[in-house]
Amino acid sequence: MTSAYFLDLFDWVGVFVFAVSGGLIAVRQRMDIFGVVVIALLPAIGGGTLRDVLLGQPVFWLSDQISLLIATGAGFAAFLAPRFWTKFKSLRWLDSAGLALFAVVGASKAYSLGYGFVICTIMGTITATAGGLLRDVVCNETPMLLKSDIYATAAFSGAAAYVISKAQGGSELLSLSLGAGLVFLLRAVTILYKLNLPTSKGD
Amino acid sequence: MTSAYFLDLFDWVGVFVFAVSGGLIAVRQRMDIFGVVVIALLPAIGGGTLRDVLLGQPVFWLSDQISLLIATGAGFAAFLAPRFWTKFKSLRWLDSAGLALFAVVGASKAYSLGYGFVICTIMGTITATAGGLLRDVVCNETPMLLKSDIYATAAFSGAAAYVISKAQGGSELLSLSLGAGLVFLLRAVTILYKLNLPTSKGD
Amino acid sequence: MTSAYFLDLFDWVGVFVFAVSGGLIAVRQRMDIFGVVVIALLPAIGGGTLRDVLLGQPVFWLSDQISLLIATGAGFAAFLAPRFWTKFKSLRWLDSAGLALFAVVGASKAYSLGYGFVICTIMGTITATAGGLLRDVVCNETPMLLKSDIYATAAFSGAAAYVISKAQGGSELLSLSLGAGLVFLLRAVTILYKLNLPTSKGD
């Protein structure tokens, strides 16, 4: 098994869980089937799309239509059986898995283009969080990521861990696992202990 | 008359009606003249701009400034004489015409770049609907396209009809007319009979 | 001192004041430190990013990480000492300075690529205002720029003044100063005399 194989697999799982999680929000807002699929697509491919546009690279889903297919399928799945998916107790766990996977995939893409620490961690964070931000903006909700929980910070940390591991000569699979593991760990601790980053005291 | 001529003509008419329809919304929100022109520009050139960025093509209005001129003129027209334009009974008919024209123009651009069915229909749908979505997000309104009416689905169907007609050897003019006609027909039936796509029953 | 030096200096000052002004809004909304830095980044680099994407140029902060650093630092500064910054009486003066600097920097970038009057003034206006618009949309506020004050119109006028001065053979430094001065003057008059552009009478 090559590392490219793992990267694709990580990416597809991330696409699926983000799309289901987005689709369920659309179902809760009583959108029609088309709206559910669009809102499923936003978090699933929005972050990676923005990353590719900013990097000046061809948008990934122009050639990789498997992602589009998976996200559309997940949108239909959310539409047809919202109760089944909601049984997974909390959307936040699904969402945390997607966050972890996308953060390292995004950092890995920038790293493979030769960018350094700053740009790689930014691209990892954008890949992981921009799609969800877009979803919240389109749904006219206040983006939760900016107000509560250690969310984007977790994505940022995982992307950083990936880059550091790679720079130390770690293999792609090890670095991906390390980075994604760190994101998921940070999210798990945050969810279980209801942690938040500090807000400004000065005002 | 060449098919390129028709494509341009279709495009300009679409730009004008979308810009008027956007400008009227801005007038209703009591925006100043600059705001009205900006909100007129969003639906008129926003969808095509996003399409070009995603396709990695030069943004169309960098070279074709006629579109910018038409959209700006339509914004002023909406600002100066909102009552004249509102006399056209319902904005929805103007909007449906723009939707029909943009859906096939967008699909045609992707088709001419050699893309297949999936990407062509997505680009047609984006060209037709992303500008209006952007307008609603900037105006802080819930995007209606995701909640009611058969709207984006109509754009999607028309783009699909265009691609199928082209793939069967149909001429550009025939395919454009077929696709745009289908969009307008679907919108007309939707408006007259107040149809909606189903929402999820599972929640 | 070369004109490139001045352009960079203008740009960095603009980045700093826009980022502080954005960060202070985020502090007022009680965002956490990460949210404050993100909202600081949006107006500081959002407009220039959109300009580069639309022009098909490499996004400026991929190579110029000084801007990222300045904006991040300004975000922290806003988070740690909001009262210090608010002492500058009104955010609107900081904001007007940023607007003036970005309008001419944006027009200058398009001009150096060989574009004419229309595209240069549009790019100046986008560089100056799109980041703030993005900030308002993400914060779920009605974009003030579209409703009140002579704001984007000032940016537009300054960008136009820059292009006209350059076309008349004016030096880069003279043209930058002329354009930025005009924007700041228009803003100052607007703020001091509470001017607004007319809204439509026809409705």
Side-chain angles (χ1 to χ4, degrees):
Chain A
M1 291 201 273
T2 68
S3 60
Y5 174 88
F6 276 109
L7 203 61
D8 276 352
L9 199 74
F10 266 52
D11 206 17
W12 293 333
V13 175
V15 164
F16 186 81
V17 296
F18 260 36
V20 165
S21 130
L24 288 178
I25 289 175
V27 167
R28 264 205 320 249
Q29 290 214 2
R30 310 227 152 267
M31 293 191 186
D32 65 30
I33 175 66
F34 182 88
V36 171
V37 169
V38 169
I39 300 296
L41 282 167
L42 281 184
I45 67 166
T49 302
L50 182 57
R51 173 202 63 209
D52 290 344
V53 167
L54 293 175
L55 288 173
Q57 296 295 306
V59 172
F60 73 98
W61 47 266
L62 287 180
S63 49
D64 162 30
Q65 291 171 16
I66 298 178
S67 294
L68 285 180
L69 214 74
I70 294 175
T72 305
F76 274 98
F79 185 81
L80 293 174
R83 277 184 196 152
F84 172 78
W85 296 105
T86 325
K87 266 192 206 133
F88 288 95
K89 206 67 186 177
S90 169
L91 280 180
R92 286 189 300 178
W93 292 102
L94 267 187
D95 196 71
S96 299
L99 190 80
L101 299 167
F102 276 17
V104 292
V105 166
S108 166
K109 179 145 189 185
Y111 192 85
S112 73
L113 290 168
Y115 286 103
F117 183 79
V118 174
I119 299 298
C120 288
T121 50
I122 289 180
M123 290 302 162
T125 311
I126 284 179
T127 308
T129 64
L133 186 63
L134 218 58
R135 174 201 62 205
D136 290 343
V137 167
V138 169
C139 290
N140 227 342
E141 295 184 357
T142 305
M144 289 312 294
L145 97 89
L146 299 173
K147 291 224 167 170
S148 65
D149 285 0
I150 290 161
Y151 190 85
T153 313
F156 185 87
S157 309
Y162 167 86
V163 178
I164 292 169
S165 164
K166 285 289 282 189
Q168 301 298 320
S171 75
E172 182 73 10
L173 177 56
L174 173 73
S175 306
L176 288 173
S177 307
L178 216 68
L182 179 59
V183 179
F184 197 80
L185 186 72
L186 284 172
R187 285 296 299 152
V189 171
T190 304
I191 291 173
L192 295 175
Y193 295 94
K194 301 193 200 311
L195 296 183
N196 284 296
L197 282 180
T199 56
S200 178
K201 300 277 183 282
D203 193 38
Chain B
M1 291 201 271
T2 69
S3 60
Y5 174 88
F6 276 109
L7 203 62
D8 276 352
L9 198 74
F10 266 53
D11 206 17
W12 292 333
V13 175
V15 164
F16 187 81
V17 296
F18 259 36
V20 166
S21 128
L24 287 178
I25 289 175
V27 167
R28 263 203 323 247
Q29 290 214 0
R30 310 227 153 266
M31 293 192 185
D32 65 30
I33 174 67
F34 182 87
V36 171
V37 170
V38 168
I39 301 297
L41 281 168
L42 281 184
I45 66 167
T49 303
L50 182 57
R51 172 201 63 208
D52 290 344
V53 167
L54 293 176
L55 288 173
Q57 296 296 305
V59 172
F60 72 98
W61 46 267
L62 287 180
S63 49
D64 161 31
Q65 290 170 18
I66 298 178
S67 294
L68 286 180
L69 214 74
I70 293 175
T72 305
F76 275 97
F79 184 81
L80 293 175
R83 277 182 197 154
F84 172 78
W85 297 105
T86 324
K87 266 191 205 133
F88 288 96
K89 206 66 185 177
S90 169
L91 280 180
R92 288 188 299 177
W93 292 100
L94 268 187
D95 196 72
S96 299
L99 189 80
L101 299 168
F102 277 18
V104 291
V105 167
S108 166
K109 180 146 189 184
Y111 193 85
S112 73
L113 291 168
Y115 286 103
F117 183 79
V118 174
I119 299 298
C120 288
T121 50
I122 289 180
M123 290 304 162
T125 310
I126 285 180
T127 308
T129 64
L133 186 63
L134 217 57
R135 175 201 62 205
D136 289 344
V137 167
V138 168
C139 290
N140 227 342
E141 295 184 359
T142 306
M144 289 312 294
L145 98 87
L146 300 173
K147 291 222 167 172
S148 64
D149 285 359
I150 289 160
Y151 190 85
T153 312
F156 184 87
S157 309
Y162 167 86
V163 180
I164 292 169
S165 164
K166 286 290 280 189
Q168 301 298 320
S171 75
E172 182 74 9
L173 177 57
L174 173 74
S175 307
L176 288 173
S177 308
L178 216 69
L182 179 60
V183 178
F184 197 79
L185 185 73
L186 284 172
R187 286 296 297 152
V189 171
T190 304
I191 292 174
L192 295 175
Y193 296 95
K194 301 192 200 310
L195 297 181
N196 283 296
L197 282 180
T199 58
S200 179
K201 301 277 183 279
D203 194 36
Chain C
M1 291 201 272
T2 67
S3 60
Y5 173 88
F6 276 108
L7 202 63
D8 275 353
L9 198 73
F10 265 53
D11 205 18
W12 293 333
V13 174
V15 164
F16 186 82
V17 297
F18 260 36
V20 166
S21 130
L24 287 177
I25 288 175
V27 167
R28 263 204 324 247
Q29 289 214 1
R30 310 226 153 265
M31 293 191 185
D32 65 30
I33 175 65
F34 182 88
V36 171
V37 169
V38 169
I39 300 297
L41 282 168
L42 281 186
I45 66 167
T49 302
L50 183 57
R51 173 201 64 210
D52 290 345
V53 166
L54 293 175
L55 288 173
Q57 296 295 305
V59 172
F60 72 98
W61 47 265
L62 287 180
S63 48
D64 163 29
Q65 291 170 17
I66 298 179
S67 294
L68 285 180
L69 214 75
I70 293 175
T72 306
F76 274 98
F79 185 81
L80 294 174
R83 277 183 197 154
F84 172 79
W85 297 105
T86 325
K87 265 191 205 135
F88 288 95
K89 207 65 186 176
S90 170
L91 280 180
R92 288 189 298 178
W93 292 101
L94 268 186
D95 197 72
S96 299
L99 189 79
L101 300 167
F102 276 18
V104 292
V105 167
S108 167
K109 180 146 189 184
Y111 192 85
S112 73
L113 291 168
Y115 286 103
F117 183 78
V118 174
I119 298 299
C120 289
T121 50
I122 289 180
M123 290 303 163
T125 311
I126 285 179
T127 307
T129 64
L133 186 63
L134 218 57
R135 175 202 62 204
D136 290 343
V137 167
V138 168
C139 289
N140 226 344
E141 296 185 356
T142 305
M144 289 312 294
L145 97 88
L146 299 174
K147 292 224 168 169
S148 64
D149 285 359
I150 290 161
Y151 190 85
T153 312
F156 184 87
S157 309
Y162 167 86
V163 179
I164 292 169
S165 164
K166 285 290 281 189
Q168 301 298 319
S171 75
E172 182 74 8
L173 177 56
L174 173 73
S175 307
L176 288 173
S177 308
L178 216 68
L182 178 59
V183 178
F184 197 80
L185 185 73
L186 285 172
R187 286 296 299 152
V189 170
T190 304
I191 293 174
L192 295 175
Y193 296 94
K194 301 194 199 311
L195 297 181
N196 283 296
L197 282 181
T199 57
S200 179
K201 300 278 181 281
D203 195 38

